[in-house]
Amino acid sequence: MNLAEQWKTLGSELPEGWGRAELRLELRDEGTAAEAAGLMGPAQPYRAKPTVLRFASALDGSALSPDNVVRLLRRLDNARIGGTLTLAGSGQAAIRVEPEVTPLAESWRRALAGLPADWSDLLCELELLSTDYIEPAAVLCIQMNPRRDGNRAALRFRAARQAGYGISPQMAGRCFERCDEADIRGSITVLRVLSDTKLVATQGPVWMLAGKTV
């Protein structure tokens, strides 16, 4: 049984209400350990022994989701890296009240409503509730040319109301509607705003943040 299938079997055997699973991957060949750790990079594995990698899966965003674990283990399967995956421990999910989350399209409309009537250029941030949302959100919002902010679960983008560098507010709204349809959750914040800018031999103004132009 390949590694991805082993995880699916283990997942089906986890107790009801589980929230976090600690996993142990014992590799058949010590010579594949470095490659396996590299392919499993997003899971942040550590080598407990020369042939053993330890990592976790969680439902609350504190570790990789079960679906993302499957995707990473398929990388090892495709690289013909074999091993045995076992459950080292599991914990119950914490009982918590889910906060009310505003749909992204509505969050964008509210952000625009609070701007001066003559705004022209924006620097904005889409802060996501889970790192699992980063890749699909970046794809669905590709027209924004989003950029990730360091290691945070956040994407930054520019918007322009009439001309210049940045996505139009209408197109941004359509991007966020697609994110809502994909059940991607987060919030939108306007970080910088300029009003009534005039373009003279340039595509638009720039901001300096942490020594970098954005």
Side-chain angles (χ1 to χ4, degrees):
M1 185 184 298
N2 63 34
L3 293 173
E5 292 299 323
Q6 289 182 47
W7 167 232
K8 290 180 180 179
T9 300
L10 285 176
S12 67
E13 297 172 352
L14 285 168
E16 184 177 355
W18 74 276
R20 184 179 181 89
E22 300 292 338
L23 301 170
R24 182 180 187 274
L25 173 57
E26 184 165 2
L27 301 166
R28 292 175 189 161
D29 182 359
E30 182 179 346
T32 64
E35 182 182 2
L39 292 172
M40 293 289 292
Q44 298 182 340
Y46 70 94
R47 291 178 70 174
K49 293 181 180 180
T51 59
V52 174
L53 299 179
R54 296 285 297 268
F55 60 97
S57 177
L59 301 179
D60 62 359
S62 61
L64 282 186
S65 69
D67 287 344
N68 279 331
V69 170
V70 171
R71 284 194 282 271
L72 291 184
L73 291 175
R74 281 177 179 158
R75 293 182 182 179
L76 270 63
D77 291 333
N78 292 337
R80 300 186 181 278
I81 296 174
T84 301
L85 186 67
T86 55
L87 183 66
S90 64
Q92 295 293 108
I95 299 175
R96 62 181 182 179
V97 177
E98 288 290 335
E100 182 179 353
V101 178
T102 303
L104 291 176
E106 177 61 24
S107 180
W108 178 239
R109 286 191 288 269
R110 293 180 183 180
L112 294 178
L115 296 174
D118 63 345
W119 76 269
S120 56
D121 301 272
L122 303 177
L123 175 64
C124 306
E125 179 175 276
L126 167 58
E127 185 173 6
L128 301 163
L129 293 187
S130 170
T131 54
D132 289 348
Y133 295 145
I134 293 174
E135 184 174 340
V139 171
L140 293 172
C141 296
I142 189 65
Q143 290 88 349
M144 295 180 180
N145 190 26
R147 297 183 180 183
R148 189 171 178 185
D149 181 33
N151 293 324
R152 298 173 57 231
L155 299 172
R156 291 186 173 181
F157 63 97
R158 290 187 54 164
R161 187 166 63 93
Q162 294 180 329
Y165 180 72
I167 191 169
S168 71
Q170 296 82 7
M171 178 58 74
R174 288 193 285 273
C175 291
F176 293 132
E177 287 172 358
R178 293 198 295 265
C179 288
D180 289 335
E181 292 171 359
D183 199 29
I184 294 173
R185 299 184 297 168
S187 60
I188 301 162
T189 304
V190 175
L191 303 177
R192 300 285 190 278
V193 57
L194 293 174
S195 294
D196 196 27
T197 56
K198 307 297 183 184
L199 306 184
V200 179
T202 180
Q203 290 186 327
V206 297
W207 288 275
M208 289 289 295
L209 296 179
K212 297 180 180 180
T213 57
V214 295

